[in-house]
Amino acid sequence: MSTLTKYFVYGPNDTLRRMAPKLFKSLEPKFLYKYGSDTNSDEIFVALYEQYEKQINATVTLVCIIECTEKRNRIELKKAGGRMGFRGSSLSEEKNIESDVIDFIMDYSKRFGLSLQEEVAQKDIEKE
């Protein structure tokens, strides 16, 4: 099971720069890597979240990549792991880490008046 979700967040530079550190402070990742460019003020954060789902007896990992530029934040969420099929197809009542991260992004964007846009993959467009 693997999903990829992409978001673009537009707004004032100072507010965009505070987004990633606040996310990682409120939802602490298992691993965090930060890259800062020498030539400009761009930053890239790569965070790895891990969550054990007891109900399906599997570990779900979420890789969160946040690319901070002067005009926008580009966020990629790649969820992997878990189980598919009959045994693992039951819906879990507990919130998973992916929904927590997405809720934080939407809440932060709404609270500070940022523009949030989800990028739709070409395959999804062709299916419709």
Side-chain angles (χ1 to χ4, degrees):
M1 182 172 91
S2 178
T3 60
L4 179 66
T5 311
K6 296 180 186 179
Y7 293 103
F8 290 106
V9 183
Y10 299 94
N13 189 22
D14 293 338
T15 310
L16 292 174
R17 295 285 173 184
R18 287 192 305 264
M19 183 181 210
K22 286 199 180 271
L23 169 64
F24 302 138
K25 186 176 180 183
S26 67
L27 298 170
E28 192 170 327
K30 186 166 185 167
F31 299 103
L32 177 64
Y33 174 76
K34 178 184 174 186
Y35 167 78
S37 175
D38 295 332
T39 58
N40 53 23
S41 63
D42 293 353
E43 293 177 319
I44 297 175
F45 297 90
V46 179
L48 176 71
Y49 293 95
E50 246 184 16
Q51 183 178 38
Y52 178 72
E53 293 188 5
K54 194 174 195 178
Q55 190 174 19
I56 61 173
N57 192 24
T59 301
V60 174
T61 59
L62 178 72
V63 177
C64 177
I65 301 170
I66 302 178
E67 179 185 320
C68 299
T69 61
E70 292 182 8
K71 298 184 181 189
R72 66 176 166 88
N73 282 357
R74 182 173 183 263
I75 303 167
E76 284 190 23
L77 301 173
K78 173 80 171 171
K79 181 180 174 186
R83 288 197 179 157
M84 294 204 50
F86 181 76
R87 185 163 185 255
S89 62
S90 63
L91 297 173
S92 66
E93 297 296 322
E94 301 173 14
K95 284 187 81 170
N96 61 15
I97 193 67
E98 183 182 29
S99 63
D100 289 342
V101 171
I102 291 172
D103 287 347
F104 178 88
I105 293 167
M106 290 184 177
D107 182 52
Y108 187 90
S109 300
K110 192 181 292 184
R111 183 179 304 153
F112 292 103
L114 303 175
S115 298
L116 179 67
Q117 177 182 353
E118 183 174 1
E119 183 180 326
V120 181
Q122 282 292 1
K123 291 179 183 178
D124 296 338
I125 294 171
E126 291 172 4
K127 286 180 184 177
E128 294 175 3

